[in-house]
Amino acid sequence: MSDEQARQVYAEAKLGQSLTRGQHPGVLVIDFSCGFTDPGCSLGADMTSEIEATRKVLDAARGRGLPVVFTTIGFEPHGKDGALWIEKAPALLDLELGGEWVEIDPRLDPQPDEVIIMKKGASGFFGTNLASVLTAQRVDTVILCGATTSGCIRATAIDLLQYGWPAIVPRECVGDRAQAPHEANLFDIQAKYGDVVSLGDALEYLASVLGRVPASA
């Protein structure tokens, strides 16, 4: 089946409708840690363009006083806290707690008042307090950035939908190790779980909301 035929099948099934956006968005950056954005790590790839695009989203959100939340992955040296995920993907042991690969990519410049959540599963929600963090900051829509599209981005997008947060995924702000799984999962997220949009669309949306502080602050 060609891509065009697949799009037609999904359209006939009435998949891929747009979600209603709220007026109090937050930005959730999944696993843009050095272990995923530095090709020097066995798990990493060159995510320079995705990091640069995400920085634009972060700058826009910070300029309006909107919440920003990061996640990263880290395990004890023995790996037992990774359970079966370590068995399936043993390279995850490179993400040792306290090591450089667990740190958020410095190009994103995490701010002192921005939450960084440590996770040990694919979804940002699995075994974490992410739902509480988003609820406490009154986030009603999530702009989802990070890595990898076929893994933790997809898993988090599914849970965002299931927990009731509309997810906006700027395609320039998510990355993977290979193009085929990246594109396939963006297609699937758009069909079932969130709205895959351009970076420009995401920035326009951020500019349209009131924000928590004056835009000039």
Side-chain angles (χ1 to χ4, degrees):
M1 181 182 292
S2 69
D3 288 348
E4 183 55 40
Q5 288 172 322
R7 282 191 287 269
Q8 183 63 31
V9 167
Y10 275 57
E12 290 174 358
K14 294 184 172 61
L15 295 170
Q17 306 304 303
S18 296
L19 295 168
T20 301
R21 301 176 181 182
Q23 287 298 306
H24 303 285
V27 180
L28 176 58
V29 182
I30 297 290
D31 302 345
F32 264 164
S33 60
C34 296
F36 290 99
T37 63
D38 186 337
C41 180
S42 60
L43 292 164
D46 183 3
M47 299 274 183
T48 299
S49 63
E50 291 86 353
I51 289 290
E52 291 174 350
T54 298
R55 182 58 190 265
K56 292 178 181 178
V57 170
L58 291 175
D59 288 347
R62 289 165 176 161
R64 305 189 78 77
L66 300 174
V68 171
V69 180
F70 294 89
T71 73
T72 185
I73 303 173
F75 300 102
E76 299 289 348
H78 51 64
K80 293 178 182 177
D81 50 339
L84 288 179
W85 206 14
I86 299 297
E87 182 178 344
K88 188 67 178 177
L92 288 166
L93 284 174
D94 288 354
L95 305 177
E96 185 174 325
L97 289 170
E100 63 176 314
W101 300 134
V102 178
E103 297 296 319
I104 301 299
D105 191 304
R107 292 173 290 182
L108 298 178
D109 192 24
Q111 299 299 295
D113 64 342
E114 293 172 351
V115 177
I116 299 177
I117 292 175
M118 181 66 65
K119 67 187 183 72
K120 299 177 188 290
S123 170
F125 291 93
F126 184 79
T128 76
N129 67 335
L130 176 58
S132 296
V133 169
L134 294 176
T135 299
Q137 298 190 70
R138 296 179 173 82
V139 171
D140 62 13
T141 304
V142 171
I143 299 179
L144 182 61
C145 308
T148 62
T149 315
S150 60
C152 298
I153 290 296
R154 176 193 166 93
T156 303
I158 292 171
D159 278 351
L160 281 166
L161 181 82
Q162 293 175 151
Y163 278 107
W165 278 285
I168 297 170
V169 185
R171 61 171 50 249
E172 295 93 334
C173 298
V174 293
D176 214 311
R177 300 177 190 89
Q179 194 67 18
H182 172 73
E183 293 295 341
N185 281 275
L186 284 180
F187 183 94
D188 208 48
I189 290 169
Q190 169 60 29
K192 304 170 188 173
Y193 307 118
D195 290 346
V196 177
V197 304
S198 68
L199 172 61
D201 186 346
L203 294 175
E204 287 178 8
Y205 168 55
L206 286 173
S208 74
V209 300
L210 183 60
R212 314 270 169 114
V213 297
S216 60

